[in-house]
Structure formats: structure tokens, C-alpha cells
Amino acid sequence: DLLQFLYFIVFLILHRNNNKSMSSPNICRVAGPLLLMAASGSGAALRELDVIDCTDGRVVNIEIKSGRAVVDDVLEFDTRAYHFEGSNNPSVPGATIKMHAGQQCTLRVTNNLVGTACNGVHSNDYHCPDTHTLHTHGLHVSPSEDNIDTHIEPNGDTHDYVYNIPEEHLMGTHWYHAHHHGSTAMQVGSGMAGVLLVEPHESYSLPA
């Protein structure tokens, strides 16, 4: 739910700061508002995120564009965000995507942000805020399928991420997020992250 997502983002900020790349005041400026958002919504009903079942042969369309996000009637803001399956409503955080062991799932990402192409620039300082890369954590797939060297440029560039989930892949909860070096923090902070669920192969049975 939203509260868990906010606490998770704060955890990532603190965890990634082990290298002291951010001063304590800057951490407070970033993490503080997120914790306040979580606290302000703590009395609200929990919201189920949309679940997209990516069964064998299905292509899930994900469009990246600017939009006005409304989160649980608590927060409203303009942001870059994922839009799923033709929706004009930003998904903040991203929808939960359900994959299946032994099946293929294709995520077709189209970048309709208006901006300047990155043209292959690759460094870890802030740059190319409108270029996108999708990355997953937890999937046992080929690096060529979860390819962090893809650069989906603004103004309509499209890339298909085709995941062939092995039959023996364990069930579990994983996640996906924006991962273009130079704009990862900004894009993830805007809500470009979500849950991946892997369902077991149909032949799977619990041990007796």
C-alpha cells in the first residue's frame, strides 16, 4: 500500500547514503516530507494498487509522460509518471505486475516525455532527466532481457522488455524501478517504481 511504499523509499534513501553522499540536513529535507506524508495518511483506508496479470504472450503497455498525480486524496502534484494500458491517470506508485513461471511477459515502455535525448551519455552525475531505463530486482532472467544499458529517449522512443521466466523460478515478491544513471533518484522519487509478483509454475505443489 501507499504507506509501505513511502517507508520503503525512506529506507532506500538511508540505505544508499552509507557512502555519505548526502549530508544529514539534506537527508532530512528528502526523508522528512515522505515520513510526514505517511503519518498524515495513517488514518486513511488502505488502497489496493492495480494488478496487471502478464500472462504468456501478453504485452503490457507502459507510457511515461507528465501528469497530475493524486495520491489517496492526501497529496496532489505534477510529476513524470508511469501510465498503464492507455490510462491518462498517472500511476504513483506503479501498478503491481504479476508474472508466471514458465511464461513470457513483455513490458512495452514508450517515453512520451518532451525533452532532449541523452544520446548515449552515461555517467552517475545528474543529467538526462527525461531518458528512461527499466530495471527489475529478483528475476532470474538473462541480463540481455533485464538490460540496464537501454536508453528510452523522450519524444516517443519505445523499447520492449521481454522476460522469459524459467519454469523453475521460485514464487516471490520483487520490484521494478526507473534506472537510468543520472536520473534514477528523481524518477523513482516521482513514483516510477512498483511491485513484481512471480506466481509458481502450474506443476508446482507444496511439499507434503
Side-chain angles (χ1 to χ4, degrees):
D1 67 333
L2 175 63
L3 304 183
Q4 292 174 333
F5 178 76
L6 291 173
Y7 286 127
F8 180 61
I9 293 297
V10 172
F11 167 79
L12 286 180
I13 293 170
L14 298 176
H15 176 70
R16 294 297 297 272
N17 196 53
N18 288 338
N19 61 4
K20 306 302 181 183
S21 60
M22 294 176 66
S23 65
S24 295
N26 284 336
I27 291 176
C28 291
R29 290 190 188 103
V30 175
L34 291 174
L35 289 172
L36 287 174
M37 286 167 55
S40 67
S42 60
L46 299 180
R47 175 173 61 95
E48 289 286 341
L49 298 176
D50 293 335
V51 178
I52 297 176
D53 195 1
C54 192
T55 54
D56 205 10
R58 180 174 179 181
V59 177
V60 176
N61 290 288
I62 305 172
E63 182 183 10
I64 303 168
K65 60 183 179 180
S66 298
R68 187 75 173 171
V70 179
V71 182
D72 284 2
D73 296 323
V74 174
L75 186 66
E76 185 173 345
F77 56 97
D78 294 320
T79 186
R80 300 168 174 84
Y82 293 135
H83 296 67
F84 288 84
E85 301 291 39
S87 173
N88 286 320
N89 298 319
S91 183
V92 177
T96 297
I97 299 174
K98 184 187 295 185
M99 299 181 177
H100 300 262
Q103 297 190 22
Q104 184 183 88
C105 173
T106 298
L107 304 182
R108 176 166 295 160
V109 181
T110 301
N111 187 348
N112 280 329
L113 293 172
V114 178
T116 302
C118 203
N119 294 322
V121 175
H122 191 82
S123 61
N124 283 325
D125 57 338
Y126 173 74
H127 67 286
C128 300
D130 299 316
T131 298
H132 190 76
T133 302
L134 185 70
H135 178 46
T136 67
H137 286 255
L139 295 184
H140 289 254
V141 296
S142 167
S144 64
E145 297 176 13
D146 184 39
N147 187 354
I148 61 172
D149 287 328
T150 56
H151 305 283
I152 309 174
E153 302 291 3
N155 309 310
D157 193 17
T158 297
H159 181 79
D160 284 357
Y161 293 91
V162 182
Y163 304 98
N164 293 288
I165 311 301
E167 287 188 11
E168 66 275 13
H169 200 296
L170 290 177
M171 69 186 88
T173 304
H174 313 293
W175 72 298
Y176 65 93
H177 66 93
H179 195 275
H180 185 265
H181 287 195
S183 60
T184 300
M186 182 191 69
Q187 293 187 11
V188 172
S190 71
M192 288 195 216
V195 173
L196 288 175
L197 296 179
V198 176
E199 295 287 347
H201 190 261
E202 57 187 13
S203 64
Y204 177 83
S205 60
L206 291 173

